Amino acid sequence: MKNLAKISGLSAALSALALPAFAQEATEVVAEVVEAAGPIVDKGDVAWMMTATLLVLFMIIPGLALFYGGLVRTKNMLSVLMQTTMITSVVMIVWVLWGYSFAFGGGTSPFWGGLGKLFLSGVTPDSTAATFTDGIEIPEYLFIAFQMTFAAITPALYVGAFAERVKFSAVLLFTVLWVTVVYFPIAHMVWDGAGLIFNWGAVDFAGGTVVHINAGITALVFALVIGPRLGYGKENMAPHSMTLTMVGAAMLWVGWFGFNAGSNLEATSGATLAMINTFVCTAAAVVSWAAVEAIFRGKASGLGAASGMVAGLVAITPACGTSGPVGSIVLGLLVSPICYFFVTKVKSMMKYDDSLDVFGVHGIGGIVGAIMTGVLMAPAFGGVGDADFSIASQVFIQLKSVILTIVWAGVGSLILLYIVKAITGLRVAADDERQGLDLTTHGESAYHS
């Protein structure tokens, strides 16, 4: 690395001395040396990506687990923690066995990655994965681990839609089928070089379609199929611990920097752009949600602040690497009122029980963020698009990717739910639901008097 830098410096110096022939020769030597040396793996990139991977795990356990756990009733606290923990663990195993191959197996299909890397075939400590810079790569095991955390958190998100009433066995079976049929193909289509949506030119920097729309639409389908909780609309189903929910939401915000800035795959200026956007869009969404609540309810609540926090994080996810900070603030101000409308109005009008508003926040926030990515990329809004960037063209591409994700996730989830229903059943017995899943499913209680 040091020798290459010296040669490059010599080339630049010769050019400065107006010795173009020597400069050209030196440049050719540099190119030959770089080509012979192969891809460069930078220790700084590796250290950053290892940190980012751990931050995404921190988002799931403990972040998401505590966020959801605080939102349910006391008798179901542990069931949510167990569902989140077991989904994470099961998906990690599935990812290594066949998930990585299905998503990034090197196949040429626009819909899936093929069977080339089943059981991580061909992957060694020396194999590498590409970044966004030619010639700069990271260890393939690191790329696998980073993408594994994305695969693990996505199905953990939809837990919130059916909290307090679904069989544990059904959750696990559905998750294995769902990541195989829904998540891995969408991840391939959006992020793999051979993927259908990738080749449309759609931009999804960190998972607006792959993670949030995918999980949000699945949550809506699950809520419609499973039906409402017993006593829904009649009994008090308020969160049992807003303290835990706020702690979990704060952990999500911290972990999200691994999610967004880590998606840059390198410790470069691109990661810093994603980082500042994750700060300011989220802050704007918190303020926006609190303002909307103050206007329509007379008071700004802690639950609203936490909801706005997640809505802002979701919305900026697809746009964080291509928008400017001011555009990100606008996105944060915009997304909260839209999600608030779906959470407070649309859900009651459609009479579905999405227990923890996964569709209203993740699904709708993801849709808003994915579409607005096509707007905020424009240089006029501080984005990174070229001078001839067309908002209309990019928004159309973004819209196509959103529609395909909605259809794929919606239809796939519906079919899989009925398969799982036939095998294990979906819903716990009414008496078990009334008593709470902590005791009836797991034989323990979160709290003891």
Side-chain angles (χ1 to χ4, degrees):
M1 290 288 289
K2 291 181 179 178
N3 290 333
L4 290 179
K6 289 179 180 177
I7 296 172
S8 299
L10 175 61
S11 175
L14 292 172
S15 296
L17 292 170
L19 298 174
F22 292 102
Q24 177 64 29
E25 184 176 350
T27 300
E28 291 174 358
V29 171
V30 171
E32 291 174 2
V33 173
V34 170
E35 184 177 356
I40 296 170
V41 177
D42 184 86
K43 290 181 180 179
D45 293 337
V46 173
W48 160 238
M49 289 306 299
M50 290 176 70
T51 302
T53 301
L54 294 176
L55 283 171
V56 181
L57 176 62
F58 184 72
M59 289 173 64
I60 320 171
I61 306 169
L64 182 67
L66 292 178
F67 178 72
Y68 277 174
L71 289 172
V72 298
R73 289 169 288 181
T74 305
K75 62 185 179 181
N76 293 304
M77 169 66 170
L78 287 178
S79 71
V80 170
L81 299 183
M82 271 297 289
Q83 288 172 9
T84 306
T85 301
M86 288 301 294
I87 283 174
T88 302
S89 302
V90 168
V91 172
M92 286 181 175
I93 296 170
V94 169
W95 179 253
V96 168
L97 297 182
W98 69 83
Y100 178 64
S101 186
F102 281 22
F104 302 105
T108 58
S109 167
F111 298 103
W112 73 309
L115 304 175
K117 294 197 174 181
L118 286 179
F119 305 99
L120 302 189
S121 174
V123 180
T124 71
D126 296 323
S127 60
T128 56
T131 67
F132 296 108
T133 302
D134 290 340
I136 304 296
E137 300 191 355
I138 59 175
E140 190 169 12
Y141 276 133
L142 180 53
F143 179 73
I144 292 169
F146 182 65
Q147 286 293 337
M148 179 175 68
T149 58
F150 278 65
I153 194 173
T154 305
L157 292 174
Y158 60 54
V159 165
F162 51 71
E164 304 191 305
R165 60 199 188 276
V166 174
K167 290 183 177 180
F168 189 54
S169 58
V171 172
L172 297 183
L173 177 58
F174 177 77
T175 294
V176 171
L177 296 175
W178 186 84
V179 292
T180 302
V181 174
V182 177
Y183 180 84
F184 300 151
I186 290 290
H188 174 80
M189 283 189 267
V190 173
W191 286 331
D192 190 86
L196 177 67
I197 295 174
F198 181 90
N199 284 291
W200 285 349
V203 175
D204 185 355
F205 195 80
T209 50
V210 181
V211 177
H212 299 293
I213 298 177
N214 229 354
I217 296 301
T218 300
L220 176 62
V221 172
F222 213 127
L224 291 171
V225 171
I226 197 69
R229 289 165 288 179
L230 295 176
Y232 178 67
K234 300 176 183 178
E235 299 176 8
N236 180 16
M237 296 184 177
H240 89 276
S241 176
M242 274 307 304
T243 300
L244 287 178
T245 292
M246 290 295 284
V247 168
M251 289 176 172
L252 282 170
W253 195 349
V254 172
W256 222 287
F257 291 103
F259 203 72
N260 284 357
S263 291
N264 190 64
L265 300 180
E266 302 171 77
T268 63
S269 60
T272 65
L273 177 63
M275 184 177 192
I276 192 170
N277 286 339
T278 303
F279 272 118
V280 297
C281 180
T282 309
V286 171
V287 172
S288 180
W289 197 298
V292 169
E293 275 197 326
I295 292 170
F296 290 100
R297 295 180 63 249
K299 297 178 180 179
S301 69
L303 177 59
S307 300
M309 194 181 299
V310 176
L313 290 166
V314 169
I316 196 57
T317 293
C320 61
T322 56
S323 303
V326 175
S328 297
I329 292 174
V330 173
L331 178 58
L333 295 175
L334 175 68
V335 71
S336 282
I338 297 173
C339 289
Y340 180 85
F341 175 74
F342 273 84
V343 167
T344 60
K345 301 298 181 182
V346 174
K347 185 168 76 168
S348 60
M349 288 189 294
M350 293 181 62
K351 301 186 187 308
Y352 61 86
D353 182 14
D354 175 2
S355 308
L356 310 182
D357 295 313
V358 183
F359 171 69
V361 175
H362 289 275
I364 297 302
I367 290 170
V368 171
I371 294 173
M372 285 299 295
T373 297
V375 176
L376 297 178
M377 280 183 68
F381 295 104
V384 301
D386 297 330
D388 60 349
F389 178 82
S390 170
I391 292 177
S393 297
Q394 190 63 44
V395 166
F396 177 70
I397 294 170
Q398 298 298 115
L399 187 59
K400 281 201 306 180
S401 71
V402 167
I403 292 171
L404 177 56
T405 305
I406 290 172
V407 173
W408 192 284
V411 174
S413 299
L414 184 63
I415 293 171
L416 294 177
L417 277 171
Y418 280 99
I419 292 173
V420 172
K421 185 177 182 180
I423 297 172
T424 65
L426 291 176
R427 191 157 185 155
V428 299
D431 287 344
D432 290 348
E433 186 176 340
R434 290 190 183 94
Q435 189 175 351
L437 302 188
D438 287 4
L439 283 174
T440 59
T441 299
H442 304 291
E444 54 188 348
S445 298
Y447 306 102
H448 297 280
S449 57

